[in-house]
Amino acid sequence: MKRTSMNTRMGTILIDNEVIAQYAGSVAVECFGIVGMASVNVKDGIVKLLKKDSITHGIAVTVGADHRLTLDFHVIVSYGVSILTVADNLTDSVRYKVEEFTGLEIEKINIYVEGVRVID
């Protein structure tokens, strides 16, 4: 279990990376053009759409020595939308909301588009 710690005048705050991933995932699936998070089976090369309760499997949170976050998103996007626009919207929304939620600065957000889905 990896945690991020911050020292404040009142004491130490520990935030589990799973909590950051859960919050970032919930922000991501609200973004226009994102169908959901993807789980990638490296062995078989299979990509599957994750259900809401396992959304964190499509997100990797890394905390650097300087307490700055790097977030890796594996997403499935809607067919017919601009991937660049979706990626820009995702990075802007996640950066603002996660930094506000955690009080930590995001160094980098990597987005891996693992698939495209037609939405009915």
Side-chain angles (χ1 to χ4, degrees):
M1 183 182 317
K2 295 186 179 184
R3 294 183 175 164
T4 304
S5 65
M6 295 181 289
N7 293 319
T8 66
R9 63 180 177 82
M10 300 289 282
T12 302
I13 299 171
L14 297 172
I15 304 173
D16 193 304
N17 287 359
E18 189 78 10
V19 172
I20 296 170
Q22 183 72 40
Y23 186 75
S26 66
V27 170
V29 295
E30 292 176 1
C31 291
F32 172 77
I34 300 290
V35 174
M37 306 308 293
S39 173
V40 181
N41 183 338
V42 178
K43 179 182 168 194
D44 299 329
I46 297 172
V47 175
K48 73 175 190 176
L49 182 64
L50 294 170
K51 296 178 181 170
K52 294 222 185 243
D53 57 343
S54 58
I55 201 166
T56 59
H57 295 297
I59 302 169
V61 178
T62 309
V63 183
D66 55 354
H67 295 291
R68 293 174 61 186
L69 300 173
T70 298
L71 303 175
D72 295 333
F73 287 87
H74 295 269
V75 298
I76 297 175
V77 298
S78 299
Y79 177 80
V81 298
S82 166
I83 293 175
L84 178 60
T85 302
V86 171
D88 285 344
N89 185 26
L90 177 64
T91 55
D92 291 344
S93 296
V94 167
R95 183 176 307 276
Y96 174 75
K97 290 184 178 179
V98 170
E99 285 181 351
E100 182 181 286
F101 178 68
T102 63
L104 299 168
E105 184 179 346
I106 294 179
E107 180 177 6
K108 189 182 339 180
I109 298 174
N110 299 312
I111 300 171
Y112 302 94
V113 178
E114 302 291 352
V116 177
R117 289 267 170 103
V118 176
I119 299 177
D120 299 334

